[in-house]
Structures are given as structure tokens and as C-alpha cells.
Amino acid sequence: MNKVNKPATIKEIAKKLKISPSTVSRALNDHPSIGLVTTMRVKKMAEELNYEPNQTAIFFKQRKTFTIAVILPSLSEPFFSFAISEIENVASEHRYTVLMGQSLDDPDREEQILKTFKNHRVDGILMSIGKKTTNLEFIEKLGASDIPVVFFDCVPSLPHINKVQSDLSTGMNEAVDAFVACGHKIIALVNGPKTLPASEDRKVAYLSAMKRNGMDIVDKNIIETDLSTEGNESAMESIFAMPERPSAIISFNDFVTLDLMKAARQKGLVLNQDIFFISYANYPLWQYMENPPMGRIEQFPGMQARKAAEILFDRIDNPEAPNQQIVFKSRLVM
């Protein structure tokens, strides 16, 4: 006699119905060789006996855990919130569970998270690398373990990987054009750390757009920050110390812009009058501010994440599928 709430086994269901365990198994999985009446009897008995599938056995048989991992620098950033929502939607469509990990831009923590997910045999990994990540040996290790990985947003500068990213140059061109059209003569770039591929992409696009517009390119007008509040404030101090202070600033992202705008106000500058900003990301928080930046560069995090997830599931189902490198064009939103 079964204890209350104790799940029954396939053998117990078979014994109750006086049929073979293999027939029960097929009926529970709606196998066409089993008649409708038998299938209904088996499912009714399974419900009465509180039967639950043995997931471990299923995983072993199919060589899948039906889980994917997502590793991001920060789960709290609005940019990644959009990404997570789309990843969850795609995973749900494939009946997969999503496991989350945040590196907090710490390479050691990132490596430990990767090891944990690898040991738990996730079926695939979606990842945006941290700004301090330089050791990419883990890509080969995951490949040797037959765990596909797809990068999005912040991606390694490697040719033979799956990645989805935003073309930062289109938004940068539109931003510089917009500032020039408004009559700004000195346009600065407050960029991220040199170790981040996205920082180099922004810098190259900035230099190209400035040159195309016939603007003077001054090295000191490109200021680097480690993206911390202290680093952002230091970047603004460098701008204030310039003999010819820039009237327009393009910044790495909206959080950098918030710090720069705060520092500008503390110096007595009037936003969108004495100094103007355009930043990457286009977080929704700007709609609640009286003086938001003049413009924001949309990078489409949801679209990036959805496409990355679709590529990952394609690789899970077809391990020999060719690598894909998808680029979405960024766009200036005024």
C-alpha cells in the first residue's frame, strides 16, 4: 500500500492494471502503438497514485538536462532585464529551465560560475562577458565538453564563435551628426576600459564619425573610465579641467551618463543648455527625468538576447550547425 503523497513507480501502475511496465511507459508518453482506452486508464491510475516521471532517468536516456545557463555581468541592469525576459520566453518555448549567474565583472567569479554550470551539465550557455575578462580558455574547455556557448552584447573578439552583438558605429555616427548639426564644436567621448572590446568599437566609430564631419580630433577629448561611480566622476573632472571644455559628450552607457550629469549639475552647469549628452543603452528610466540626455543610442538588448537564445537551441539540436555571427545596427533615439 502506497504512503500518502509518495509518488508511485511505473511498475506499481503496471501491477495495479495488470499490464506490462513497458506498456505503461508508452501510454504515459502517448505512443501511437497504445490504444486510447489503455492510455486513458494508465493516465488515470498514474494520477490516482501520484505518479511523477523520473527526471534523472529521462535526462540519462536523452543525454540532456533540459537546462541552459545565462551568465551576465549584472542581473540588476535594465539592459540585461530586457535580455533575460526574451531568453526566458525562448527557453519556455523549448520547455527548458534557465539558470542564472552574475559575474559582477569579476573574472574569478565568472570562471567559478562557468565551472559550476559545466559540472551540472547544462545543455548550453548564453553569456555576456565581464569588462575585466581577458582569459578566454574557457571557450575551448566548454567546446571539449560539448557544451555550446553563444555570446551576446559584450562578446569576445574571436572569429570562430557564435555571437550576437550591436553595431555600435551606426548609433555613434548618428550621435556625432546630431551634435554637429546643433553647432557643437568640441565633442568628447567618455569611454569604457580599454580591455573591453566594446570600448574599442566605440572609439573607432567616434574617430571615424569625427573625421567624416571634418571635426578636430584631440586625444584628450577621449576619456577612459572603469565604469565605477568614482571613475565616472574622475572623467568629468578631467573634462572640467580642459582649457576648451567640450559642450557635447557621448558616453559609454546610461549609468556613466547619470554620474556625468550629476557632476555637471554640481559644477553649476545647466543640462541641455551649457552641456549636452548622448549615451548608449536607452534605458527606460530617462522618461521619468525632467532633463534627460539629448539622445540615447538604442542597442536592442531584447532582440540580441532572443536571437542568441535561438542560435543556442539550434546548436543544442544540431551540434554540427555552422557558427553564426549576427549584428544588429544601433540607432540614435532623440
Side-chain angles (χ1 to χ4, degrees):
M1 181 174 174
N2 288 315
K3 293 181 180 179
V4 177
N5 294 327
K6 181 181 178 181
T9 65
I10 285 179
K11 287 183 179 180
E12 289 171 333
I13 296 173
K15 186 177 180 180
K16 285 277 188 180
L17 296 175
K18 295 182 172 56
I19 56 179
S20 69
S22 61
T23 299
V24 173
S25 178
R26 290 192 184 96
L28 290 171
N29 288 283
D30 296 309
H31 196 282
S33 66
I34 306 301
L36 179 61
V37 174
T38 301
T39 297
M40 292 178 66
R41 286 180 62 223
V42 169
K43 289 188 175 182
K44 185 173 184 296
M45 182 61 68
E47 185 176 353
E48 290 176 0
L49 297 179
N50 195 30
Y51 169 76
E52 293 179 2
N54 185 335
Q55 292 297 329
T56 301
I58 294 173
F59 295 162
F60 181 78
K61 183 177 180 181
Q62 299 192 22
R63 299 179 66 86
K64 290 182 179 179
T65 61
F66 296 96
T67 58
I68 62 169
V70 180
I71 305 174
L72 304 171
S74 172
L75 299 179
S76 62
E77 283 194 27
F79 183 95
F80 290 121
S81 295
F82 287 116
I84 291 169
S85 293
E86 286 301 321
I87 291 169
E88 289 274 13
N89 289 339
V90 177
S92 178
E93 292 166 10
H94 288 79
R95 298 189 176 183
Y96 263 67
T97 299
V98 180
L99 305 178
M100 300 285 181
Q102 60 176 350
S103 67
L104 301 178
D105 290 313
D106 181 340
D108 293 334
R109 180 185 176 103
E110 190 175 68
E111 182 180 357
Q112 185 57 51
I113 293 171
L114 279 163
K115 286 181 180 178
T116 300
F117 286 145
K118 179 173 173 286
N119 291 339
H120 279 75
R121 294 300 307 172
V122 295
D123 294 337
I125 295 175
L126 290 167
M127 186 174 184
S128 182
I129 64 173
K131 62 175 180 279
K132 298 177 183 177
T133 300
T134 56
N135 186 351
L136 301 175
E137 291 180 2
F138 68 87
I139 297 176
E140 290 187 10
K141 292 179 181 178
L142 289 173
S145 301
D146 294 325
I147 300 177
V149 57
V150 180
F151 298 92
F152 72 97
D153 183 47
C154 191
V155 304
S157 297
L158 296 174
H160 305 299
I161 60 174
N162 287 284
K163 58 184 177 181
V164 180
Q165 62 191 120
S166 176
D167 178 0
L168 304 179
S169 66
T170 53
M172 178 67 78
N173 276 304
E174 292 173 358
V176 172
D177 289 350
F179 277 146
V180 171
C182 291
H184 293 281
K185 303 299 182 184
I186 305 177
I187 303 171
L189 170 65
V190 177
N191 207 8
K194 292 178 181 177
T195 55
L196 208 57
S199 298
E200 181 64 18
D201 291 342
R202 284 166 169 77
K203 181 180 177 180
V204 170
Y206 165 81
L207 293 173
S208 175
M210 292 287 283
K211 182 178 181 181
R212 181 174 52 78
N213 277 281
M215 302 289 286
D216 292 334
I217 296 175
V218 182
D219 288 342
K220 67 180 180 181
N221 287 341
I222 302 176
I223 304 100
E224 183 180 332
T225 171
D226 62 2
L227 305 182
S228 67
T229 297
E230 296 75 16
N232 300 336
E233 291 173 347
S234 177
M236 201 63 191
E237 286 295 331
S238 298
I239 291 174
F240 289 135
M242 294 179 183
E244 293 183 277
R245 177 174 55 78
S247 60
I249 298 173
I250 300 172
S251 64
F252 186 87
N253 64 28
D254 285 339
F255 284 114
V256 174
T257 302
L258 280 168
D259 288 334
L260 300 180
M261 291 170 66
K262 179 182 178 181
R265 286 194 300 269
Q266 290 174 343
K267 292 288 185 178
L269 299 181
V270 178
L271 301 177
N272 296 318
Q273 181 175 313
D274 300 324
I275 193 165
F276 295 77
F277 293 91
I278 290 178
S279 66
Y280 279 90
N282 191 28
Y283 296 157
L285 54 89
W286 295 122
Q287 64 182 308
Y288 303 107
M289 295 186 64
E290 287 187 16
N291 273 318
M294 178 178 135
R296 288 89 68 192
I297 299 172
E298 176 63 69
Q299 295 172 252
F300 304 103
M303 291 171 60
Q304 285 192 57
R306 169 166 277 276
K307 186 60 181 179
E310 289 171 350
I311 292 173
L312 182 64
F313 282 109
D314 184 42
R315 290 306 299 264
I316 291 172
D317 294 334
N318 306 287
E320 301 304 319
N323 290 330
Q324 296 188 55
Q325 300 186 355
I326 308 298
V327 177
F328 291 98
K329 291 186 176 182
S330 56
R331 179 172 61 87
L332 177 65
V333 178
M334 298 295 288

